[in-house]
Structures are given as structure tokens and as C-alpha cells.
Amino acid sequence: INIEPVPIEKTTSFGEPLHVSITQATSRFQTIQRSFAGEEEEAAAEAPPAGFDLQSWLQNRPMKGPPFTKRVGLVFKDLDVYGSDVADKHIASLITPIYKLLKSSIRGFGLFQLLSSGNKRQLLHKITGSVADGEMLLVLGRPGSGCSTLLRVLGNQRKTYTRIDGTVLYGGLTPKEVQRHYRGEVAYNQEDDVHFPTLTVRKTLEFAINCKIPSRQVLQDPERYRREFLDMLLDMYGLKGCADTIVGNAFLRGVSGGERKRVSIAEQVASGASVDVWDGSTRGLDSSSALDYVRSLRINADLLQKSVVATIYQASESIYQLFDKVMVIDEGRQLYFGPIDKAVDYFGSIGIEKPRRQTTSDFLTGVTQLHERRVRPGWEERAPKTAEEFEQLWMQSPEYQQTTQDAKQLYEQIQTDHRPSELRTFIDRTKMGTSRLKFRRKSPYTTTFVFQFYLLIIR
């Protein structure tokens, strides 16, 4: 086995202990992955050939055994999002259905809306990028810049928007197909952690695992899978010490805020989603808890080959360095997309320089703030001042051409690897009852209604 030197991980952040170790989680994951592999693969693991690389082997054997790694990837191109004006909104009441009927009849039952733009407001402009399986994207922007809108659309939460143009593909699957048949493959996690406060951490994760237990077509020993998968989640995300403590909420005291965030991450891993979207989930956490949280996301991307998209406000340099790519947005316009280590150089090339002691995330968030940013000498008149000017320079830059090329290459790779058909076939096999009932393949749920009802009664 090729053994490479492992960098020493930090165990503290600003004097506070860290509870999540990427190295330890990697070791734990590899143990359970080998445990559930088939007999032939176990034999290969016991007697590996010369030059055997375990990490490469794990990543190149998708959809073989739990915990399942599915190659999906996320591609979005020329994404325009429109929302209705706030003046059109009102508080729902008993007469709301009658009001909507009258309003629709006055507007020609939707015909007028089709022929005119109405009070639509464009929220996002021509957003382009890609997140391959195993990559993490950090979305940065000031409050109100459109970060949450982008994450909701990428998380397939589209109902609140009047119109969405452009392309979004999840491993070659369209948002409509994902919503109808493969809803569990894309998971959106909002800022607030919503759990049953009176359940313990162990019971919460047990329920999540049971709801996504695969069929016996791909899993021979469900009970062992439940037990070992639960132990792995508690171990990987530093939750063993609070496993029998209630989760709690704002009114009922339970685990700490950082532990509750890690419960959300473990629960999302148990759901088996291939694309994870996290919207402002570090708000209210101290620096060490926030770093633990992002380390947990890094584990998801590295070991389970998930595509992770997250927005984090006031991210420290340690957090920033855990991501692969960064996107900067202001007023719904894309200012930069690319590797994290090239963002500062790009803005330097258009006249905005980073102060020596400022964190990279704070610098990128404030590039459009005239009172915060620092302009290079000689660029006072040429440096862009508005979001529109930044967007024009970005779309004319070589970095933008590289972004579109990377998105095109990922799309072509997805089609070459036959990922859409591979994903459909595998998910259909994991659903309970598909061997007996063909209509179960169209259901977005892994387990049957009767089994879900049984789990709810037990809970």
C-alpha cells in the first residue's frame, strides 16, 4: 500500500478544542467500507497488489456497497432567476382561495402573465459554474446579494420563484426529473436546524438511517448496516459523547449549537444525498465549532464523493482553505468563480488589492464596497466600482472562459461515463419493492409507505 505522509491536523482553534478529525474520519470510513464490500473485494483488500492505493480504489468503485458513493456532479450555466415583487405578496387567510380565483380571472387565468413580464424582478444574472463530485464550492457575498437565492435554486427549491432560465444538471438529471423521481439526491439545508427536540442524537440518526435503508437487492444484512453505519456517523462527526443527549432547541436545553450542526450533517449523510447545499449554516457558532462544521463537510466531499455548495459569512482563513472553489456574488451578478488560490490574484489584476492582515473571505466580500476596498496605485479611475462593471470585466476575462470550459468538460464527462443511466439504475435497485412492484420505481422514496408508517409509530 502506498503510504504518503499525512499532514498534522490542528486540534484547537483560538484555544478551543476541535471535535472533528478528517484523518480519523477517513480511517473509520475505510474500515466500514471494506466491511460491507463483496467477498471478492474483501479478498482483494486483504491481499492488495503491489502499488495498491486504497483512496483511489474507494473513489473508483462507486455504487458497490454502503456507505454508497455516487458520482453525480453539478453543472449550472447562464442561470437567470426572477421573483415577483413584494407588493404582490399578502398574508394568507380564509378568503385567500377566493382572492386568488378573482385575481386569476382578472389577469386572464395566467394568459396575461405569459404575455408580459408583470412585476418580475431579476434576482440572478447569468450565473455559470460547475462542482464535480468530491469538490466543495464556497459562495461569498454581502447579505442581500443573492447567495441564498442561488443556493435555493441549486438545492432544487424552486417554488418561490416566478421564472428560472438557464441550465442546471445533477449528474445529467434535470431538476424536474430529480423532483419527481430522485428527490433525495439533492439536499438543501437552511440556516436553522429543525429537529425533534425531545429525541436523542442516537434516535435522530437511527430514524434517518432507517428511512433510507436500501433494499435487499443491494444489502444482505440490514441490521448490521444500521448498527455499523450509526456508529460510523457518531464517530466521524465527534458525536459519541452526546449520543444519548436530547437534541433540544431554543426552548429545551440539549446539545450545544456546534453539536446540533454536526447532527444535521450526519443526518444528511444518512439520507444518502449526492449534492449537499448548506445555506448560512455557521451563523451563531464560535470559531472552533464553525471549523468543526466545515471539516465535517470536507469529510463528506472527500470520502462520499459529494458535491458540496455552502455559503458562510465571515469565514476564517482555516475555513476558507478547506474549500476547492469560491464564487463571489453581488447584486445577483457573478464577480468571480474559480479555485480559491486564484481569487485574490484575479481581483488584483483588475486593480483591487488585498490588505496584508485581512482574511481572504472578508476581502472578497468587500470588493464592491468603495469605503472598504483598497485600490492599487494608478488604478483609481480604471478599477470597477459597481457590480455591473465587475460583471462585465469578469465575462471578458480568461478566468470566465476557463469556467465555461470546465463546466462543458464536466458535462461531457458525465455523458461519457453514462452517469444518468447508471444513477437511475442504481437508485431504482435501492428502493424497496421494485422487484415486485414496477410502479415503485417512479416513487421518490427509498422505503415503502407501510415501512415508513411503521417507523413513525415506533418513533
Side-chain angles (χ1 to χ4, degrees), residues 124-157:
L124 295 179
H125 305 256
K126 302 295 180 186
I127 306 293
T128 298
S130 60
V131 187
D133 41 304
E135 286 186 343
M136 290 177 59
L137 168 64
L138 174 62
V139 181
L140 294 176
R142 297 180 296 115
S145 60
C147 294
S148 293
T149 299
L150 174 62
L151 265 65
R152 278 196 291 269
V153 173
L154 295 182
N156 215 22
Q157 307 291 314

Coordinates of all heavy atoms in Angstrom, one line a residue, residues 124-157:
L124 N -31.0 36.9 -10.1 CA -29.7 36.4 -10.5 C -29.4 36.6 -12.0 O -30.4 36.5 -12.8 CB -29.5 34.9 -10.2 CG -29.6 34.5 -8.7 CD1 -29.4 33.0 -8.6 CD2 -28.4 35.2 -7.9
H125 N -28.2 36.9 -12.4 CA -27.9 37.2 -13.8 C -26.8 36.3 -14.3 O -25.6 36.4 -13.8 CB -27.4 38.7 -13.9 CG -28.4 39.7 -13.4 ND1 -29.2 40.5 -14.2 CD2 -28.7 40.1 -12.1 CE1 -29.9 41.3 -13.5 NE2 -29.6 41.1 -12.2
K126 N -27.1 35.4 -15.2 CA -26.0 34.7 -16.0 C -25.0 34.0 -15.1 O -23.8 34.2 -15.3 CB -25.4 35.6 -17.0 CG -26.3 36.2 -18.0 CD -26.9 35.2 -18.9 CE -27.9 35.9 -19.9 NZ -28.6 34.9 -20.7
I127 N -25.4 33.3 -14.1 CA -24.5 32.6 -13.2 C -24.1 31.3 -13.9 O -24.9 30.5 -14.3 CB -25.2 32.3 -11.8 CG1 -25.7 33.6 -11.2 CG2 -24.2 31.6 -10.9 CD1 -24.7 34.6 -10.9
T128 N -22.8 31.0 -13.9 CA -22.2 29.9 -14.6 C -21.1 29.2 -13.7 O -20.4 29.9 -13.0 CB -21.6 30.2 -15.9 OG1 -22.6 30.7 -16.8 CG2 -21.0 29.0 -16.6
G129 N -21.1 27.9 -13.6 CA -20.1 27.2 -12.9 C -20.3 25.7 -12.9 O -21.3 25.2 -13.4
S130 N -19.5 25.0 -12.1 CA -19.6 23.5 -12.0 C -18.9 23.1 -10.7 O -18.0 23.7 -10.3 CB -18.9 22.8 -13.2 OG -17.6 23.2 -13.3
V131 N -19.5 22.0 -10.1 CA -18.9 21.5 -8.9 C -18.9 20.0 -9.2 O -19.9 19.3 -9.2 CB -19.8 21.8 -7.7 CG1 -19.1 21.3 -6.4 CG2 -20.1 23.2 -7.6
A132 N -17.7 19.4 -9.4 CA -17.5 18.0 -9.6 C -17.8 17.2 -8.4 O -17.7 17.8 -7.2 CB -16.1 17.7 -10.2
D133 N -18.0 15.9 -8.5 CA -18.1 15.1 -7.3 C -16.8 15.1 -6.5 O -15.7 14.9 -7.1 CB -18.5 13.6 -7.7 CG -17.7 13.1 -9.0 OD1 -17.8 13.8 -10.0 OD2 -17.0 12.1 -8.9
G134 N -16.9 15.3 -5.2 CA -15.7 15.4 -4.4 C -15.2 16.8 -4.2 O -14.2 17.0 -3.5
E135 N -15.9 17.8 -4.8 CA -15.5 19.2 -4.7 C -16.4 20.0 -3.8 O -17.6 19.7 -3.6 CB -15.4 19.9 -6.0 CG -14.2 19.4 -6.9 CD -14.2 20.2 -8.2 OE1 -15.1 20.9 -8.6 OE2 -13.1 20.2 -8.8
M136 N -15.8 21.1 -3.2 CA -16.6 22.0 -2.3 C -16.5 23.4 -2.9 O -15.4 23.9 -3.2 CB -16.0 22.0 -0.9 CG -16.3 20.7 -0.2 SD -15.6 20.7 1.5 CE -16.4 22.1 2.3
L137 N -17.7 24.0 -3.0 CA -17.8 25.4 -3.5 C -18.2 26.3 -2.4 O -19.3 26.1 -1.8 CB -18.8 25.5 -4.7 CG -19.2 26.9 -5.2 CD1 -18.0 27.6 -5.7 CD2 -20.3 26.8 -6.2
L138 N -17.5 27.4 -2.2 CA -17.9 28.4 -1.2 C -18.5 29.6 -1.9 O -17.8 30.2 -2.9 CB -16.7 28.9 -0.4 CG -16.8 30.0 0.6 CD1 -17.9 29.7 1.7 CD2 -15.5 30.4 1.2
V139 N -19.7 30.0 -1.6 CA -20.4 31.1 -2.2 C -20.3 32.3 -1.3 O -20.8 32.2 -0.1 CB -21.8 30.8 -2.5 CG1 -22.5 32.0 -3.2 CG2 -21.9 29.6 -3.5
L140 N -19.7 33.4 -1.7 CA -19.5 34.6 -0.8 C -20.2 35.8 -1.4 O -20.3 36.0 -2.6 CB -18.0 35.0 -0.7 CG -17.1 33.9 0.0 CD1 -15.6 34.4 -0.1 CD2 -17.5 33.8 1.4
G141 N -20.8 36.6 -0.5 CA -21.5 37.8 -0.9 C -22.1 38.5 0.3 O -22.3 37.9 1.4
R142 N -22.3 39.8 0.2 CA -22.9 40.5 1.3 C -24.4 40.1 1.5 O -25.0 39.5 0.5 CB -22.9 42.0 1.1 CG -21.5 42.6 1.0 CD -21.5 44.1 0.7 NE -22.0 44.4 -0.6 CZ -23.2 45.0 -0.8 NH1 -23.8 45.5 0.3 NH2 -23.6 45.3 -2.0
P143 N -25.0 40.3 2.7 CA -26.4 40.0 2.8 C -27.3 40.7 1.8 O -27.1 41.9 1.6 CB -26.7 40.5 4.2 CG -25.4 40.4 4.9 CD -24.4 40.7 3.9
G144 N -28.2 40.0 1.1 CA -29.0 40.6 0.0 C -28.3 40.6 -1.3 O -28.9 41.1 -2.3
S145 N -27.2 39.9 -1.5 CA -26.5 39.9 -2.8 C -27.0 38.8 -3.7 O -26.7 38.8 -4.9 CB -25.0 39.7 -2.6 OG -24.7 38.5 -1.9
G146 N -27.8 37.8 -3.1 CA -28.3 36.8 -3.9 C -27.8 35.4 -3.6 O -28.1 34.4 -4.3
C147 N -27.0 35.3 -2.6 CA -26.4 34.0 -2.2 C -27.4 32.9 -1.9 O -27.4 31.8 -2.4 CB -25.4 34.1 -1.1 SG -23.9 35.1 -1.5
S148 N -28.4 33.3 -1.0 CA -29.4 32.4 -0.6 C -30.3 32.0 -1.8 O -30.7 30.8 -1.9 CB -30.3 33.0 0.5 OG -29.5 33.1 1.7
T149 N -30.6 32.9 -2.7 CA -31.4 32.6 -3.9 C -30.7 31.6 -4.7 O -31.3 30.6 -5.2 CB -31.6 33.9 -4.7 OG1 -32.3 34.8 -3.9 CG2 -32.4 33.6 -6.0
L150 N -29.4 31.8 -4.9 CA -28.6 30.8 -5.7 C -28.6 29.4 -5.1 O -28.8 28.4 -5.8 CB -27.2 31.3 -5.9 CG -26.2 30.3 -6.6 CD1 -26.7 30.1 -8.0 CD2 -24.8 30.9 -6.6
L151 N -28.4 29.4 -3.8 CA -28.3 28.1 -3.1 C -29.7 27.4 -3.1 O -29.7 26.2 -3.2 CB -27.8 28.3 -1.7 CG -26.3 28.0 -1.5 CD1 -25.5 29.1 -2.3 CD2 -25.9 28.0 -0.1
R152 N -30.8 28.1 -3.0 CA -32.1 27.5 -3.0 C -32.4 26.9 -4.4 O -32.9 25.8 -4.6 CB -33.2 28.5 -2.7 CG -33.4 28.7 -1.2 CD -34.7 29.4 -0.9 NE -34.7 30.8 -1.3 CZ -34.3 31.8 -0.5 NH1 -33.9 31.6 0.7 NH2 -34.4 33.0 -1.0
V153 N -32.0 27.6 -5.5 CA -32.2 27.1 -6.8 C -31.3 25.9 -7.1 O -31.7 24.9 -7.6 CB -31.8 28.2 -7.9 CG1 -31.9 27.6 -9.3 CG2 -32.8 29.4 -7.8
L154 N -30.0 25.9 -6.6 CA -29.1 24.8 -6.8 C -29.6 23.6 -5.9 O -29.4 22.4 -6.3 CB -27.7 25.1 -6.4 CG -27.0 26.2 -7.3 CD1 -25.6 26.4 -6.9 CD2 -27.1 25.8 -8.8
G155 N -30.3 23.9 -4.8 CA -30.9 22.9 -4.0 C -32.2 22.4 -4.5 O -32.9 21.6 -3.7
N156 N -32.6 22.8 -5.6 CA -33.9 22.4 -6.3 C -35.1 22.9 -5.5 O -36.2 22.2 -5.5 CB -33.9 20.9 -6.5 CG -34.7 20.6 -7.8 OD1 -34.8 21.4 -8.7 ND2 -35.2 19.3 -7.9
Q157 N -35.0 24.0 -4.8 CA -36.1 24.6 -4.1 C -36.6 25.8 -5.0 O -36.2 27.0 -4.8 CB -35.7 25.1 -2.7 CG -35.0 24.1 -1.9 CD -35.9 23.0 -1.4 OE1 -37.0 23.3 -0.9 NE2 -35.5 21.8 -1.5

